[in-house]
Amino acid sequence: GNSVTQMEGPVTLSEEAFLTINCTYTATGYPSLFWYVQYPGEGLQLLLKATKADDKGSNKGFEATYRKETTSFHLEKGSVQVSDSAVYFCALTPSNYQLIWGAGTKLIIKP
Amino acid sequence: DAGITQSPRHKVTETGTPVTLRCHQTENHRYMYWYRQDPGHGLRLIHYSYGVKDTDKGEVSDGYSVSRSKTEDFLLTLESATSSQTSVYFCAISDSQGRTEAFFGQGTRLTVV
């Protein structure tokens, strides 16, 4: 079946540290992959996406590359800020289906 | 920001009472979704709609019903609320089934006592 596995949190980093949040998936067909972010007290919002293998999605300094050979879509940022503290969700959509969500990873950035 | 509004934002209700949550959109998007968010479970799909009067079940639909009589409104009803339905409920909209961005409402925090 289709599923998304994210690294468990919380992930705690100091400001300006390098961030990686791992996401792997299983899916039939050729899914699109997404990262969503949820700030405290808010709904989710799209952070970045990739629709085919080797595509790189990027936004606000975050990047993720669609790796079909390793079925991964890891989220990275070179230098995190306190304002990046949030919960990050990896998600995929198999062909013609709804979003399948990971469990979310809480990120805490300390000044 | 996408025009999507959930109401109420907070509700406390008693076990056994009916509860209706409303999602209203001004984007004219075809697809609307209801999710619940619980610690350790991420987002779980309750029901979704692919058009007026067209709805289908998600992975956790037991105890919930939905209705969509107009493009802009998607109602989620708990016929007889239970404590296990205490959660944060999110409505989402999209103009295609998963291929494009989904926009989320601010959420409704429901407590069943």
Side-chain angles (χ1 to χ4, degrees), chain A residues 30-32 34 36 38 41-44 46 49 51 89 93-99 101-103, chain B residues 9 33 35 37 40-45 48 57 90 97-107:
Chain A
Y30 302 94
S32 293
F34 304 83
Y36 281 77
Q38 183 180 30
E42 298 184 10
L44 282 73
L46 180 68
K49 68 178 183 182
T51 58
F89 291 90
T93 178
S95 303
N96 275 345
Y97 202 72
Q98 302 86 23
L99 284 162
W101 296 89
Chain B
R9 293 292 314 279
Y33 308 83
Y35 291 94
Q37 184 178 33
H41 290 277
L43 287 170
R44 292 183 290 176
L45 181 65
Y48 70 100
K57 296 178 180 180
F90 285 99
Q97 197 166 7
R99 285 294 176 186
T100 59
E101 179 177 358
F103 297 94
F104 282 78
Q106 297 281 73

Side-chain angles (χ1 to χ4, degrees), chain A residues 35-86:
Chain A
W35 277 101
Y36 281 77
V37 59
Q38 183 180 30
Y39 298 103
E42 298 184 10
L44 282 73
Q45 55 187 277
L46 180 68
L47 180 60
L48 53 84
K49 68 178 183 182
T51 58
K52 61 182 188 296
D54 299 325
D55 268 1
K56 177 185 285 188
S58 61
N59 186 26
K60 299 180 181 180
F62 290 89
E63 293 183 339
T65 302
Y66 187 164
R67 303 286 190 198
K68 192 167 174 63
E69 63 276 13
T70 55
T71 62
S72 65
F73 193 54
H74 303 323
L75 182 69
E76 297 181 335
K77 186 175 185 183
S79 176
V80 293
Q81 306 300 313
V82 172
S83 57
D84 294 326
S85 298

